[in-house]
Amino acid sequence: MFREKLLKNKIMWFAGAAVAVLLSGCSSDMSVSETELNAEVAKRLATNQPDIIQLSLEESTLNLDLLIKEANIDLTERDGGLVMVDMKTDIRGTLNVFGQEMTMKAQLDPSFESGLRIEEDRVYLVGAKLTQISVQGNSISDEMFRNTLGSLHGDFEKALADYFNTHPVYVLNHSMTEKAAARMVKNIVITDDSIEFMIF
């Protein structure tokens, strides 16, 4: 029994070492395609509902929840590599306008761009910068809501950045190759179709 366990451990160690040796021979031996990344994000959203980003201000003028329904990622080499994200969310909560508290509900579709970072085996979006926000089905005046969102641009952007800084969009655990590579990745390069993981 003990010998069998020892033999099994040795086999697993040698398999891991073999994968590590294979990976170490290349500067970029692994990548994740844009399609794979979007499939992973969709899977995570489907299994983590409701997935909420909270946006509240100390002045109590705003207390909103963004319920993430969909996120579509587009990878581009522009400006050294960017992750472009289009989201569909439901926004619900209260808004204080001219001293009057109003309950609101709308579909909010923000778009933003970001970079990437890897921490252990997890890939995160970093430095989210809002590029566009569209509002549909708002229960209060569109103009009033857009003006309020405009004044809260920085707070909204920070809420997005904080969320994606703690919620990975991809985890390198889908295969033995990914798991081995995760321990040796030194850098990430964004291309037009994929994320390249640089081993050296």
Side-chain angles (χ1 to χ4, degrees), residues 1-12:
M1 181 80 172
F2 176 74
R3 287 182 180 178
E4 288 178 7
K5 189 174 182 181
L6 187 62
L7 181 61
K8 186 177 180 183
N9 287 340
K10 281 185 177 180
I11 291 171
M12 290 179 67

Side-chain angles (χ1 to χ4, degrees), residues 66-86:
L66 258 66
L67 283 70
I68 306 172
K69 298 190 298 183
E70 184 180 324
N72 184 62
I73 292 175
D74 181 26
L75 302 172
T76 175
E77 291 181 3
R78 180 171 60 83
D79 298 331
L82 288 171
V83 181
M84 316 294 290
V85 183
D86 294 322

Side-chain angles (χ1 to χ4, degrees), residues 32-42 73 75 170 193-194:
V32 174
S33 71
E34 188 176 284
T35 301
E36 290 172 317
L37 189 59
N38 276 304
E40 180 77 1
V41 170
I73 292 175
L75 302 172
Y170 195 86
D193 299 310
S194 66

